[in-house]
Amino acid sequence: MDIRIALAQIDTCVGDIEQNTQAILEWSARAAAAGAHVVAFPEMTVTGYPIEDLALRASFQRAAQAAIAAIAAELDRTGLGGLTVVVGSVGAPQASPSSPGLRPTNEAVVLSGGQVRAVYGKHHLPNYGVFDEFRIFAPGSETCVIEVSGRQIGIVICEDIWQDGGPVAQMDAADVDLLLVLNGSPFEQGKGHLRTELAARRAREVNAPVAYINMVGGQDDLVFDGGSFVVGVDGSVLASAPQFVEHLLVWDLADDGAPAYRGELTPALDPHEEIYQALVTGLAGYARKNGFSSVVLGLSGGIDSALVAAISADAIGGANVFGVSMPSVYSSDHSKDDAADLAKRIGADYRVQSIAPMVDAFQDQLHLEGVAAENLQARVRGMILMGLSNAEGHLVLATGNKSELAVGYSTIYGDAVGGYAPLKDVDKSLVWALSRWRNNAAIDRGELPPIPESSITKPPSAELRPGQVDQDSLPPYDLLDEVLDAYIEHAEGRAELLARGFDADVVDKVVTLVDRAEWKRRQYPLGPKVTALAFGRDRRIPITSRWREPRP
Amino acid sequence: MDIRIALAQIDTCVGDIEQNTQAILEWSARAAAAGAHVVAFPEMTVTGYPIEDLALRASFQRAAQAAIAAIAAELDRTGLGGLTVVVGSVGAPQASPSSPGLRPTNEAVVLSGGQVRAVYGKHHLPNYGVFDEFRIFAPGSETCVIEVSGRQIGIVICEDIWQDGGPVAQMDAADVDLLLVLNGSPFEQGKGHLRTELAARRAREVNAPVAYINMVGGQDDLVFDGGSFVVGVDGSVLASAPQFVEHLLVWDLADDGAPAYRGELTPALDPHEEIYQALVTGLAGYARKNGFSSVVLGLSGGIDSALVAAISADAIGGANVFGVSMPSVYSSDHSKDDAADLAKRIGADYRVQSIAPMVDAFQDQLHLEGVAAENLQARVRGMILMGLSNAEGHLVLATGNKSELAVGYSTIYGDAVGGYAPLKDVDKSLVWALSRWRNNAAIDRGELPPIPESSITKPPSAELRPGQVDQDSLPPYDLLDEVLDAYIEHAEGRAELLARGFDADVVDKVVTLVDRAEWKRRQYPLGPKVTALAFGRDRRIPITSRWREPRP
C-alpha cells in the first residue's frame, strides 16, 4: 500500500521543552488529520537546536527524557498511537572519544503505540563554522531502519548525509524504501541547491527517495529556513515546502505505480527576497523567543537604520517599532526629514531626542577631542536607547552593517549598543540592493515603499564631524565589499588577494583596518579563569535558551 | 653518559610568530650555556596557544612553517646545531574526521643540526571546557621517540597524558629513557597536584621519568602558571620550577648511579597567594599583549575596586594605574575617603569626576525611574571611563566580582564596561580572602597594606539609591557563594541543590537570579548569519592575537 509521509516543518525554541512538546502534539494531530502514517519533525525537536552546553546539564537531559515519555503517552491517550512519530532529542549519556565524562547523543526517537519504538544516534557530529557538536555529543554507531505498514524507512540526522561513507553507506540499499533525514540546517545564501543535490546523491546510494525535513525560524544568530523537500532516485524534487514559515508537507510513498497524492511543489524565491525573508525571520524569532514585543532603534535618516526599520516593521509590525532621531550639531536637515518620513511610511512611533545637552555636560568635564569626541556622541545615543529600553521594555537594535563593522567604523558602547544587529552579516552593497528590492516589492503590490528614496541615493555619512562622508577614508563600497568577502569569507591572505588583482594599497588598507577592528570588536569583559569553570566561555549556552530549572 | 635536559618555561603570545621565534632562539642559547643537550619548549611555542580558528588560516600556517625552518637554520648558524630543540607549532594540513577540508596537526617539532629531525602530531584533541581543539586540528596517529646521545626520549603533548590508552601506552616501555610532555595547561585552583600525580602514573607506565614543560603567562582569559617539573618512576618530584615566571629548569637524566646535577625544587605556594599571582599574571599579560601600559578604573571605595587596583599595581606598577572616583548624590563620604586613601597607598593617579551634571542632563530629557535610573548612573560612569580610555590610551578595567555578575547585580554598558574584568571568576568570599591575604603579605614584608581596612570591613553596597546594601536583596555572601558554586561550577540542578541541604527558598531565588542574569550578560549585538561565515562567531580568534598578514 501507499504510505503517507508528513514532514512537520516547525519552529522550536532552545530550552523550551514544554512549548516544543505542545507543538509536537499539535502538528502530529494535524498530520493524522491529513491521513499520514508517519510524521517526521526536525533535528532536536524536543530540546530546540542548537543547544550547545545545555546538552551537558543533567537536569536538562532528564527533562528531555521525561518529555519523550510524556509525548508518547499523550499521543496514545488522544488516539494517535497508530501514527509513527519521529522526533529529535538528546539521548542517554555515554562515553565519548576525546572528552572526559559522559555525553548524550543527538538522537532521533521513533514513537508509536505509546512507546519508544527505536532510537538513532547521529553518527557525524559537525565541528566547524557554527557547529560544535563534538564538544557536546557522543557519536552514534548503529544504523536505524524502521518498518511502517511493511515499508522500510531508514533514519539519519543532518550531517550524516553531508559526509561520504556514513550510516547511509552502511544501509543495505535493498532494504530501504525511503530515507528520512531530520535536519537543523541553517540558512545560507544559495544553500538550497546544495541540499537537494546532496539528497539526490544519497537517494541514488540507497535507491530510494529521500525525505528531508528542516526546521524553520530564527534562533539567536542562526536562521533556519525550512524548505523541506522529497527528492526521488532520479534526482528530481518530488515535493517541496515554502521557506521561512511553519508548514506540513505531505507526500505519498507509492507502493507501485502512481502515488495517490503527489505533494506540492514550491518555486524558489528570488535571491534578494530570500535574504530579506531570512533577516525578517531572524529578527522576529529573536524578539519573540526572548520575550520582546517591540524594538527601539536610532533613526539617522541613513540607509542602514532605514532598512533595519523596514525589516522590523515586516517582522513585528510597524506599530511595535520605536524610532528615535538623535540629532547632533553635525546632523543635516535632510537626515532629520528622512528619519521622520521613514517612520511615517512604516507606521512607527517616532520621537526626537537631541544629544547636545548630554554631550555638553560630558564635555564641560572631560574636554574630549578627535575620535574620543566622536565616540562620545555615539555613546550618548546608545545610552538614550538603553534608557528607553529599560523604561519601556523594547529590544534595542544596533543598525551597523557588515562592511562598517569589518573596518571598525563603529563605536563600542555607542552605535554597537543593542541586543540584536540585523545587518551584522549584510555588507553595504547588499544593504542598498535589499532596500531597492523591498521598495520595488511594495510598488509591485501597489503599496507605499517603506524607505525614502533619498536615504538610498545620498552618500553615506556618520555625521560625527562637519562634512564627513564614508568615502573620505574608505575605498568605494563595491570594491571594499569585494576585498572583505575574499579576506573574511574566504580567509584569503595578502598573497591570494593580490593574485585576484586587487590593488596593493587597497589590500593593505583594508587588511589593516579589519585586523584592528577585529580586535576592537572582540573587546568585552574578559577576565581570568581561576576555577574549573568560569563565566562567559565555559558555559556556552545560547542566548535565547528558555530552559529553567524545573520547579516543584 | 648523563644527558642534561632543560625545560624552557616561557611566555609566548598568540599570533606573534616573530617574537615567539626570538624567544625560542634566546632561551635555546641559555640552555646551551647551561650545558643542556636537549631543550624543550611548551605546546605551540611558535604560534602561541590557544590559537583557535587562526589555525585554519593558510597564510598563518605558511608563516609558522617558515618560522620553523628559520629557527633551525639560525640555531645552526649561531653554533647551536648540536643542541636538540623541541618546540610546538602547527603541522601540515591533512584530512580530519568530522570536518570538511584540511586541518593542521598540533605538532611537536624536533630540531638539530639545522634540520627538522622529527615531528609528532598530538593524538588527543581536547574538546571540553576552554578547549576546542577537535574543531581546528587533525589528530596525529604515530608515536615519536628520538635518540639523543644514545638515550631514547619519547615525546607527547598535553592532553595525550590525560587520556588512558593514548600514545604513551603505545610506546614500548623498554625503549624509553625519558618521556617529554609539551604542555599548554591553564591554571586552575589546586591543579598542581593533579598534574604531578598524572605524570607519575605515566612514568610508571613507561618505566622512565617524565619531564613536564608548561607555558607561563596570561593569554586572554586563561592564565598559564608554568610550574614545570620532572617526576620519577617512583612518583617523587625530582625537580620543579616556580609558577608564574619564565624559567629554565635544568635536570640531568643519569646514565647510571647519581646524576651530575639534580635540579632545583620549588615549594608550593600558599593557596591564596597562588590565586592572587594568577590574577596578577592574567592582567599583566592581557595588558602587555594588547599594547596597553596603563589601566583606568572606577574607585568606589568598596572592596572590589580596591582589590582590582591592588592587583593592577602589582601587575603593571602603581604609577600606571589611573583611578577615578565618580561620586553621585548617593555616595557616602567614607566611600570617597576610602577611594582616595587606596589610590595614595598604591601610588595611583587619582581624580574625581562627579556624575551629577551628566545624570541631570539625561534626566531632564528622559525622566527615568527605578532600575532604569540606577542603570543610568552606572552607564554615565562607564562613558567617563571610556572617554578617558580613548583620550589617554588606558585599558578600562571592569571591577565586578563573580557573585554579583552571577546574580545580575551589574549594568550592561555600565559597570560591565571594560576590556578586562580581573574578578570575573572570583566570588565575593574570595575577594575578601584575597584582600586580607594581600594586606597581610604587605605587613609581613613591613610594607603599607594596599587596601584600606574599612573597604574590607564595611557592608557591601552599590550606592545607587539611598541606604542600599547588597544584603537587602541577596542571601549572605558565604551562603550565596556556596549555592553559586554548586549551580554554576558543578552544573547541579534544583534536585541536587536541595539534596545538599540548601533551603528551597534560597535555591529558587538564586537559580532564578542566575538564569535571568545569564541571559542578560550574554546580550551583545547578535545578528543573523546569511553567508557562509558571519562575524563574531565563525571566526574564533583570541582577542590578543597579534597575527597580522605578512607585508612584503
Side-chain angles (χ1 to χ4, degrees):
Chain A
M1 60 177 266
D2 286 6
I3 64 169
R4 184 159 290 178
I5 309 292
L7 304 182
Q9 172 178 301
I10 67 169
D11 184 356
T12 56
C13 180
V14 162
D16 199 340
I17 293 176
E18 195 174 333
Q19 186 197 284
N20 297 337
T21 295
Q22 279 310 312
I24 290 166
L25 294 172
E26 285 167 26
W27 287 78
S28 294
R30 285 197 215 184
H37 301 88
V38 177
V39 58
F41 288 87
E43 184 172 8
M44 303 290 283
T45 336
V46 171
T47 56
Y49 181 83
I51 56 171
E52 305 202 27
D53 282 10
L54 206 51
L56 303 175
R57 187 164 273 266
S59 54
F60 181 75
Q61 295 168 356
R62 291 195 298 264
Q65 291 289 346
I68 289 286
I71 291 167
E74 183 65 12
L75 287 169
D76 203 43
R77 197 188 66 78
T78 54
L80 301 179
L83 180 66
T84 296
V85 178
V86 185
V87 297
S89 190
V90 287
Q94 49 192 270
S96 165
S98 275
S99 294
L102 303 177
R103 301 270 178 279
T105 52
N106 177 331
E107 193 171 77
V109 184
V110 182
L111 307 173
S112 75
Q115 301 288 328
V116 173
R117 202 170 132 192
V119 296
Y120 167 77
K122 186 178 185 178
H123 288 210
H124 289 293
L125 302 172
N127 218 61
Y128 55 87
V130 300
F131 304 108
D132 290 297
E133 297 199 9
F134 206 82
R135 175 184 174 86
I136 54 168
F137 294 123
S141 55
E142 306 290 317
T143 57
C144 178
V145 180
I146 60 168
E147 186 180 306
V148 178
S149 305
R151 313 301 294 276
Q152 306 297 317
I153 302 178
I155 298 174
V156 293
I157 301 176
C158 207
E159 187 77 7
D160 286 332
I161 66 163
W162 291 80
Q163 307 275 340
D164 285 323
V168 178
Q170 292 168 35
M171 284 178 191
D172 183 350
D175 275 340
V176 174
D177 299 305
L178 176 72
L179 181 65
L180 190 60
V181 191
L182 276 56
N183 297 275
S185 178
F187 171 72
E188 262 171 47
Q189 221 176 322
K191 196 178 185 183
H193 281 291
L194 283 182
R195 290 185 192 136
T196 49
E197 283 159 21
L198 188 70
R201 218 160 85 202
R202 301 304 168 211
R204 282 194 298 275
E205 240 177 284
V206 296
N207 194 33
V210 169
Y212 182 104
I213 166 72
N214 192 22
M215 60 187 280
V216 72
Q219 184 70 55
D220 295 325
D221 62 339
L222 299 182
V223 177
F224 296 90
D225 57 322
S228 304
F229 61 87
V230 182
V231 70
V233 176
D234 66 353
S236 61
V237 175
L238 304 174
S240 61
Q243 287 173 282
F244 305 112
V245 289
E246 293 194 305
H247 192 80
L248 193 76
L249 182 67
V250 177
W251 175 82
D252 280 2
L253 173 66
D255 190 12
D256 46 22
Y261 180 72
R262 285 189 184 279
E264 73 209 276
L265 281 167
T266 306
L269 294 176
D270 165 272
H272 285 138
E273 178 168 17
E274 189 184 39
I275 296 174
Y276 190 88
Q277 291 301 340
L279 298 176
V280 169
T281 301
L283 173 55
Y286 191 78
R288 179 170 52 78
K289 292 175 184 179
N290 285 296
F292 291 101
S293 56
S294 57
V295 298
V296 64
L297 73 161
L299 296 182
S300 69
I303 184 68
D304 298 324
S305 58
L307 180 60
V308 170
I311 291 167
S312 303
D314 288 334
I316 61 171
N320 298 314
V321 177
F322 290 77
V324 189
S325 166
M326 296 177 283
S328 75
V329 292
Y330 307 124
S331 299
S332 56
D333 286 339
H334 67 76
S335 292
K336 294 175 247 184
D337 295 344
D338 289 342
D341 183 18
L342 167 79
K344 199 171 159 194
R345 285 165 181 258
I346 63 170
D349 183 273
Y350 179 73
R351 66 191 114 177
V352 179
Q353 293 283 356
S354 167
I355 65 169
M358 293 82 124
V359 170
D360 290 348
F362 277 100
Q363 287 293 46
D364 283 349
Q365 283 184 220
L366 299 178
H367 315 291
L368 302 174
E369 294 171 0
V371 173
E374 293 184 21
N375 285 340
L376 176 65
Q377 299 171 57
R379 291 190 181 123
V380 166
R381 292 188 174 118
M383 283 190 64
I384 291 173
L385 295 178
M386 285 305 292
L388 296 174
S389 168
N390 288 161
E392 301 172 7
H394 319 300
L395 170 65
V396 178
L397 299 182
T399 60
N401 65 65
K402 182 176 191 164
S403 307
E404 66 186 21
L405 293 174
V407 295
Y409 276 35
S410 176
T411 299
I412 187 169
Y413 312 127
D415 56 285
V417 158
Y420 196 79
L423 305 183
K424 184 194 78 175
D425 198 29
V426 177
D427 68 23
K428 190 80 178 188
S429 305
L430 189 54
V431 166
W432 275 308
L434 292 175
S435 298
R436 290 202 187 91
W437 174 84
R438 181 63 185 83
N439 272 7
N440 287 337
I443 292 166
D444 289 347
R445 291 197 294 257
E447 296 167 1
L448 184 68
I451 301 173
E453 187 61 21
S454 58
S455 292
I456 300 180
T457 52
K458 68 182 156 192
S461 165
E463 295 194 334
L464 291 169
R465 56 176 188 264
Q468 181 183 33
V469 294
D470 294 7
Q471 260 56 60
D472 292 345
S473 45
L474 286 180
Y477 273 115
D478 51 355
L479 173 59
L480 174 65
D481 288 344
E482 272 189 65
V483 179
L484 291 175
D485 185 63
Y487 186 54
I488 296 171
E489 299 291 317
H490 300 283
E492 294 185 1
R494 187 176 189 276
E496 291 93 339
L497 293 170
L498 295 181
R500 279 191 189 233
F502 292 123
D503 178 75
D505 287 347
V506 170
V507 167
D508 290 342
K509 181 181 180 72
V510 173
V511 161
T512 302
L513 286 170
V514 170
D515 284 355
R516 183 173 158 73
E518 275 245 311
W519 171 71
K520 284 179 65 184
R521 191 175 50 251
R522 291 191 306 256
Q523 266 206 335
Y524 63 98
L526 264 186
K529 175 185 167 300
V530 300
T531 56
L533 290 168
F535 281 119
R537 176 160 178 154
D538 308 55
R539 257 192 113 181
R540 287 204 189 132
I541 297 182
I543 291 189
T544 306
S545 166
R546 295 182 77 91
W547 166 247
R548 301 291 179 266
E549 277 298 318
R551 298 288 186 277
Chain B
M1 60 179 266
D2 286 7
I3 64 169
R4 184 158 291 178
I5 309 292
L7 304 182
Q9 173 177 301
I10 67 168
D11 184 355
T12 55
C13 180
V14 162
D16 199 340
I17 292 176
E18 195 175 335
Q19 185 198 284
N20 297 337
T21 294
Q22 279 311 312
I24 290 166
L25 293 173
E26 285 167 25
W27 287 78
S28 293
R30 286 196 214 186
H37 301 88
V38 177
V39 58
F41 288 86
E43 185 172 7
M44 302 291 282
T45 336
V46 171
T47 56
Y49 180 83
I51 55 170
E52 304 203 28
D53 283 10
L54 206 50
L56 304 175
R57 186 164 275 265
S59 53
F60 181 75
Q61 295 168 359
R62 291 194 298 262
Q65 291 289 346
I68 289 287
I71 291 167
E74 183 65 9
L75 287 169
D76 204 43
R77 198 188 66 78
T78 54
L80 301 179
L83 179 67
T84 297
V85 178
V86 186
V87 298
S89 189
V90 287
Q94 49 192 270
S96 165
S98 276
S99 294
L102 303 177
R103 301 271 178 277
T105 52
N106 177 331
E107 193 171 75
V109 184
V110 181
L111 306 174
S112 75
Q115 302 288 327
V116 172
R117 201 168 133 193
V119 296
Y120 168 76
K122 186 179 185 178
H123 288 209
H124 288 293
L125 302 171
N127 217 62
Y128 55 86
V130 299
F131 304 109
D132 290 297
E133 297 197 9
F134 206 82
R135 174 184 175 87
I136 55 169
F137 294 124
S141 55
E142 307 291 318
T143 57
C144 178
V145 180
I146 61 168
E147 187 180 305
V148 179
S149 305
R151 314 299 295 276
Q152 306 297 318
I153 302 178
I155 298 173
V156 295
I157 301 177
C158 206
E159 187 77 7
D160 286 332
I161 66 163
W162 291 81
Q163 306 276 338
D164 286 322
V168 179
Q170 292 170 34
M171 286 178 189
D172 183 351
D175 275 341
V176 173
D177 298 305
L178 175 72
L179 181 65
L180 189 60
V181 191
L182 276 54
N183 298 275
S185 177
F187 171 72
E188 261 171 47
Q189 219 178 324
K191 197 180 187 181
H193 281 293
L194 283 182
R195 290 186 194 136
T196 49
E197 284 159 21
L198 190 69
R201 219 162 84 202
R202 301 305 168 212
R204 283 193 299 277
E205 241 178 283
V206 295
N207 194 34
V210 169
Y212 182 103
I213 166 70
N214 192 23
M215 61 187 278
V216 72
Q219 184 69 55
D220 295 324
D221 62 341
L222 299 182
V223 177
F224 296 90
D225 57 322
S228 304
F229 61 87
V230 182
V231 70
V233 176
D234 66 353
S236 60
V237 175
L238 304 175
S240 60
Q243 287 173 281
F244 306 113
V245 290
E246 293 195 305
H247 192 79
L248 192 75
L249 182 67
V250 177
W251 175 83
D252 279 3
L253 174 65
D255 191 13
D256 46 23
Y261 179 73
R262 286 190 184 279
E264 74 209 277
L265 281 168
T266 307
L269 294 175
D270 164 272
H272 285 137
E273 179 169 16
E274 189 184 41
I275 295 175
Y276 190 88
Q277 291 301 342
L279 298 176
V280 169
T281 301
L283 174 55
Y286 190 78
R288 180 170 52 79
K289 293 176 184 177
N290 286 295
F292 291 101
S293 55
S294 57
V295 299
V296 64
L297 73 161
L299 296 183
S300 69
I303 184 69
D304 299 322
S305 58
L307 180 59
V308 170
I311 290 167
S312 302
D314 289 334
I316 60 170
N320 298 312
V321 177
F322 291 77
V324 189
S325 167
M326 295 177 283
S328 75
V329 293
Y330 307 123
S331 298
S332 55
D333 286 338
H334 67 77
S335 292
K336 292 175 248 183
D337 295 345
D338 289 341
D341 183 17
L342 166 79
K344 199 172 159 193
R345 285 165 181 257
I346 63 170
D349 183 273
Y350 179 73
R351 67 191 113 176
V352 179
Q353 293 282 357
S354 167
I355 64 170
M358 293 82 124
V359 171
D360 290 348
F362 278 100
Q363 287 293 46
D364 284 349
Q365 282 183 220
L366 299 178
H367 315 293
L368 302 175
E369 294 172 0
V371 173
E374 293 184 21
N375 285 339
L376 176 63
Q377 298 171 59
R379 290 190 182 124
V380 166
R381 293 188 174 117
M383 282 190 63
I384 290 172
L385 295 177
M386 285 304 294
L388 296 174
S389 169
N390 288 161
E392 301 172 8
H394 319 301
L395 170 66
V396 178
L397 299 182
T399 60
N401 65 65
K402 182 176 190 163
S403 306
E404 66 186 19
L405 292 174
V407 296
Y409 276 36
S410 176
T411 298
I412 186 168
Y413 311 127
D415 55 287
V417 158
Y420 196 78
L423 305 183
K424 184 195 79 175
D425 199 28
V426 177
D427 69 23
K428 191 81 179 188
S429 305
L430 189 55
V431 166
W432 275 308
L434 292 175
S435 298
R436 289 202 187 91
W437 175 84
R438 181 63 185 84
N439 273 6
N440 287 336
I443 292 165
D444 288 349
R445 292 197 293 259
E447 296 168 0
L448 184 70
I451 300 174
E453 186 62 20
S454 59
S455 291
I456 301 180
T457 52
K458 68 182 157 193
S461 165
E463 296 194 330
L464 290 169
R465 55 175 188 266
Q468 183 183 32
V469 294
D470 294 7
Q471 260 56 61
D472 292 346
S473 44
L474 286 181
Y477 273 114
D478 52 354
L479 173 60
L480 174 65
D481 289 343
E482 275 191 63
V483 178
L484 291 175
D485 185 64
Y487 186 54
I488 296 171
E489 299 291 316
H490 300 283
E492 294 185 1
R494 188 177 189 276
E496 291 94 340
L497 294 169
L498 295 181
R500 278 191 188 234
F502 292 123
D503 179 75
D505 287 347
V506 170
V507 166
D508 290 342
K509 180 181 182 70
V510 174
V511 161
T512 302
L513 285 170
V514 170
D515 284 355
R516 183 173 159 72
E518 275 246 313
W519 171 71
K520 284 179 65 185
R521 191 174 50 253
R522 290 191 307 257
Q523 265 205 339
Y524 63 98
L526 263 186
K529 176 184 166 299
V530 300
T531 55
L533 290 168
F535 281 119
R537 177 159 178 153
D538 308 54
R539 257 193 113 182
R540 286 202 190 133
I541 296 182
I543 289 188
T544 306
S545 167
R546 294 181 77 90
W547 166 248
R548 301 290 179 265
E549 275 299 316
R551 297 288 184 277

